[in-house]
Amino acid sequence: QVVNYAPFTLLPSAVPSALFEQAYAVQQDFNLLVDAISQNKEFLEHALASTIEVDDFTARLFRIHMQVLEEGLAQSVFLGINRSDYMFDCGVDGTPALKQIEINTIAASFGGLTSRTGAVHGRVLKVLGKSKEASRLLPNNPSKGLALGIAKAWELYGSQSAVVMFLVEEVQRNIFDQRCVENELWNRDIRVIRRRFRDVFEKGSLDDTKRLYMDGQEVAVVYYREGYVPKNYDQQNWEARLLLERSRAVKCPDIATQLAGTKKVQQELSRPGTLEKLLPGRAEAVARIRATFAGLYSLDMGEEGDKIAATAIADPDRFVLKPQREGGGNNLYGEELRQVLEKIRDSPERTSYILMDKIKPQPAMNYLLRAHSPLQVSKCISELGIFGVYVRQGKEMVMNMAVGHLLRTKAIEHADGGVAAGVAVLDTPYLV
Ligand code: ADP
Ligand code: MG
């Protein structure tokens, strides 16, 4: 009913080219890692054991995961679309380092809109008489790459008449971002339908070979742009999710891959030896991945958790306290972190959180343009995301790519929050 422009910076932001290249270079490794975790039942079970005791949402996802495995997977083609996010941590000597904030394995968004932001910033630079600088902005079209992955999965599913289903929210604020990907699929003569969990509950069904049907149409690929936070689910929606997961359709992501993207898994990956076990014989990939890790700490009950909790209470500004939630606005910082951690430090409730070192990037000035907000110059920091796409058929990886980037920028007074949370805005990297 109301159309606004997506928020954006007036000017592109400087990004160190070495770190930009490093982020691209590690993306295929992260694709392999996420895929390996999703196939490793023991690892997921072990990593999430303490969390599912106290976090109901993760526990419900995990139960579906186990149920589907017990029945036997009907799905044989797997499609991952993720976005690995980074900030540029400013060391004591002023040298910036690439540090991963998180990896999003479900509903990673803005691949569509960001395929257009480069053109906006190119025009702004030209208006300012900076044509040379405008010509240096990089081409970037993640929506095309995401569609390539979806199209490949659709093709391997092997039914010409089957459709791709975008699973979308009840209220859709970010529809145009999704349309960019959808259009790429129509251009390849692949039919796309958009449905909600509620529609799946009412009209979805499986045949005796677990093929998924919606309104009589066979569905080859389910692309989730929904289903990543508790408020997306009521009892019917959980049933719909289970139906989808049990089906033969390619889920992007399947529930195991969604679990691979939890904050708890991220923290467990940082334990010595874990990456080596998940990616045997890939020492170089392991080294590239590990180089991007910030300090991550478990709050599991026991001595290790007691110690780090005490450290964080004494010096909260060094850390971020993260629950198992997505979508921005859930993390705790500073005084609030101290208060919450003090309250739960002796209770198992603390295991629903992880602690992470706070990344401290060098701020830069920019203008943030947002509909209905006054224009003002702000001290800003940026977060770089790289989109990864992979397709696996049985045991064989048939596609593994980095397909584009996203730069989001926010004013430094906001500790947390993405574009959808109304804090960050779309930006374009200007490599320096
Ligand atoms: P979400 O799943 O909610 O997006 P994130 O881990 O990405 O969770 O955190 C949300 C935001 O909080 C990030 O976009 C970033 O601005 C900020 N943030 C998260 N972790 C850190 C960190 N370790 N240091 C500094 N800022 C962080
Ligand atoms: Mg995030």
Side-chain angles (χ1 to χ4, degrees), residues 25-176:
V26 71
Q27 186 56 43
Q28 284 169 308
D29 304 326
F30 271 117
N31 290 347
L32 287 177
L33 177 64
V34 170
D35 186 52
I37 297 168
S38 78
Q39 295 174 77
N40 194 325
K41 175 171 170 271
E42 288 72 32
F43 173 78
L44 275 178
E45 207 168 355
H46 188 253
L48 294 172
S50 59
T51 307
I52 59 185
E53 276 180 35
V54 286
D55 189 72
D56 184 54
F57 181 64
T58 312
R60 289 194 87 147
L61 293 173
F62 191 78
R63 279 208 296 279
I64 293 180
H65 169 55
M66 294 308 261
Q67 179 173 345
V68 172
L69 283 184
E70 267 159 38
E71 275 180 28
L73 285 183
Q75 178 179 353
S76 60
V77 177
F78 297 83
L79 164 65
I81 291 180
N82 63 57
R83 199 189 68 221
S84 182
D85 291 336
Y86 308 89
M87 281 185 176
F88 314 118
D89 195 25
C90 199
V92 268
D93 60 350
T95 328
L98 186 77
K99 290 296 162 197
Q100 187 183 50
I101 296 292
E102 63 158 348
I103 189 159
N104 303 279
T105 60
I106 180 166
S109 58
F110 296 111
L113 294 185
T114 200
S115 300
R116 311 293 178 89
T117 43
V120 175
H121 288 117
R123 174 67 62 85
V124 171
L125 288 177
K126 283 182 188 172
V127 171
L128 292 171
K130 305 260 176 209
S131 295
K132 204 171 99 240
E133 286 81 356
S135 70
R136 288 194 46 207
L137 297 180
L138 299 168
N140 185 35
N141 192 355
S143 56
K144 190 162 186 182
L146 304 191
L148 267 177
I150 297 173
K152 187 73 186 169
W154 174 85
E155 179 196 317
L156 293 174
Y157 179 87
S159 173
Q160 274 292 322
S161 60
V163 302
V164 171
M165 177 166 75
F166 283 32
L167 207 284
V168 297
E169 294 167 282
E170 205 68 35
V171 177
Q172 299 162 34
R173 284 207 307 154
N174 205 12
I175 185 169
F176 297 110

Side-chain angles (χ1 to χ4, degrees), residues 397-408:
M397 212 41 142
V398 292
M399 182 186 278
N400 181 4
M401 311 184 292
V403 298
H405 55 267
L406 166 73
L407 193 71
R408 292 173 299 166

